[in-house]
Amino acid sequence: MNGLRYNPAGSVLDKIILPEWYRGLMIIVGGSSSRDLAKELAAILQCTYVQAATTRFPDGECYTRIDHMELDDDVVIVQNTYPDVNLIEMFLLQDAVKRLGARTVTLVIPYFGYARQDRVFKPGEPQSARVMAEHLDMVCDRVITVDIHKEEVLDYFTCPREDLKAAETIAEYFTERDIDLVLAPDLGAVNRAKAVADILKVDFDHLKKIRLSGSEVKMEPAAMDCEGKNVLIVDDMISTGGTIIAAAYALREAGASGVSVACTHGVFVGNAIERLTGSSLDTILCCNTLENEVSHISVAPIIADALKR
Ligand code: R5P
């Protein structure tokens, strides 16, 4: 099989003829949302990296092509389903790899879009997360997500599924950074804060979030004393940044000496990064489930571990 191999030493894609013994190992296909992560996975797993060549037609429709004659191995597609253009690209890649003879298709969806509309909140709404899962399930032998907003969404897949947790990876990043207290911005995120705090061997608590609008929230202080403490806020995602900016303000008011934030998914809509940078935060970091200028915490090792299992 002719193929592209990712060269971990030089980070260079070079065209090679893959030897016969290579057959049987998995092939990682990088969609356009997650190329760096897919390359990192291929490097860790020492397996073939194939780049999907995705472009747009003049009318904006997605065109993608995998420049191979066949992919008759276990194929892993790494691609987000957010924003919508990436979801469409994922559907097209699923069809393309199947037509190239993929024996099995594993979907690695680092950031699963629509997971927040996991149920019908008001009559007349769709159950968006279910719609996405059921469509993705059509060409899918296994699905892996990272800190999906609601794990129940994975139950709409009929294949083996697994949601990986980034808490340990986030905690490892902060081990040498003298964190005194880990806080969740609301009660729903407290288990993640606890997981990070346990590894850092520090206390944890949560704030009380009152949502005023789509982009505005009010925070009530943590029960725990923050005076003079170096606090790390941990959340699953930052979207508009409203939650974290309000949390940082409340913590500074409560006397925190340092406030950092780490999340799994840096969605950062609009000018969220600028707003966060201009707030009272010392550090803003996220995982590379969504690739951006502050996505310095890599989830590639935990995904690679899952793929090896
Ligand atoms: C909420 O349930 C999530 O965990 C995040 O806290 C929320 O989505 C963040 O949104 P934003 O950055 O727009 O405040």
Side-chain angles (χ1 to χ4, degrees):
M1 188 179 80
N2 287 325
L4 287 171
R5 188 187 59 168
Y6 177 61
N7 174 351
S11 295
V12 168
L13 284 168
D14 49 333
K15 215 158 198 163
I16 59 155
I17 308 292
L18 289 172
E20 195 58 30
W21 57 263
Y22 218 106
R23 294 174 75 86
L25 297 183
M26 69 181 95
I27 294 170
I28 309 254
V29 175
S32 56
S33 72
S34 307
R35 282 182 182 153
D36 292 346
L37 178 58
K39 287 178 194 172
E40 209 180 322
L41 276 173
I44 293 172
L45 294 167
Q46 291 285 293
C47 65
T48 312
Y49 172 76
V50 170
Q51 176 119 2
T54 303
T55 55
R56 302 265 142 214
F57 286 109
D59 63 0
E61 287 183 351
C62 181
Y63 171 84
T64 194
R65 178 156 184 255
I66 297 168
D67 188 12
H68 284 252
M69 294 306 289
E70 57 172 16
L71 288 182
D72 63 340
D73 275 314
D74 296 314
V75 173
V76 178
I77 305 174
V78 188
Q79 169 74 350
N80 287 326
T81 58
Y82 167 90
D84 292 357
V85 287
N86 288 329
L87 178 68
I88 300 295
E89 183 181 335
M90 173 67 105
F91 291 146
L92 301 182
L93 288 173
Q94 287 176 281
D95 188 64
V97 300
K98 205 67 198 163
R99 284 172 191 283
L100 287 172
R103 281 206 288 264
T104 62
V105 180
T106 295
L107 303 186
V108 171
I109 308 176
Y111 178 65
F112 191 105
Y114 290 94
R116 284 184 283 184
Q117 183 79 24
D118 60 311
R119 58 194 170 92
V120 174
F121 297 96
K122 290 182 193 157
E125 289 177 353
Q127 197 179 355
S128 310
R130 181 182 191 140
V131 174
M132 302 309 153
E134 287 178 350
H135 282 78
L136 292 161
D137 191 46
M138 289 195 291
V139 184
C140 182
D141 298 292
R142 185 184 178 196
V143 62
I144 295 173
T145 55
V146 182
D147 281 339
I148 189 168
H149 191 69
K150 285 280 167 65
E151 248 181 90
E152 294 75 11
V153 171
L154 293 182
D155 293 339
Y156 300 124
F157 285 87
T158 56
C159 58
R161 59 265 187 187
E162 191 174 356
D163 183 55
L164 307 175
K165 308 294 174 205
E168 196 178 327
T169 313
I170 290 173
E172 277 163 15
Y173 198 93
F174 282 89
T175 40
E176 306 288 316
R177 291 173 187 230
D178 299 324
I179 300 297
D180 301 311
L181 175 65
V182 179
L183 283 181
D186 56 34
L187 183 59
V190 79
N191 285 342
R192 186 178 298 104
K194 179 181 184 315
V196 173
D198 285 352
I199 294 166
L200 295 177
K201 299 189 175 52
V202 298
D203 290 327
F204 71 94
D205 197 358
H206 68 89
L207 296 156
K208 192 172 167 208
K209 173 160 102 176
I210 303 151
R211 191 164 273 290
L212 305 174
S213 72
S215 60
E216 266 186 301
V217 293
K218 196 176 124 200
M219 285 290 175
E220 284 186 5
M224 204 162 275
D225 181 18
C226 298
E227 182 73 43
K229 291 192 177 160
N230 189 19
V231 181
L232 171 64
I233 311 168
V234 180
D235 206 355
D236 64 338
M237 69 170 80
I238 301 176
S239 182
T240 64
T243 300
I244 296 304
I245 290 169
Y249 180 78
L251 292 170
R252 291 289 186 187
E253 289 282 289
S257 59
V259 184
S260 298
V261 62
C263 71
T264 308
H265 312 295
V267 182
F268 301 131
V269 300
N271 63 346
I273 292 192
E274 287 72 30
R275 290 177 59 230
L276 287 157
T277 311
S279 73
S280 52
L281 287 158
D282 298 313
T283 315
I284 306 150
L285 280 169
C286 63
C287 298
N288 57 349
T289 54
L290 290 156
E291 293 170 3
N292 56 55
E293 61 199 85
V294 293
S295 59
H296 300 311
I297 305 174
S298 179
V299 289
I302 59 167
I303 298 174
D305 271 353
L307 287 171
K308 276 191 271 180
R309 281 197 286 274

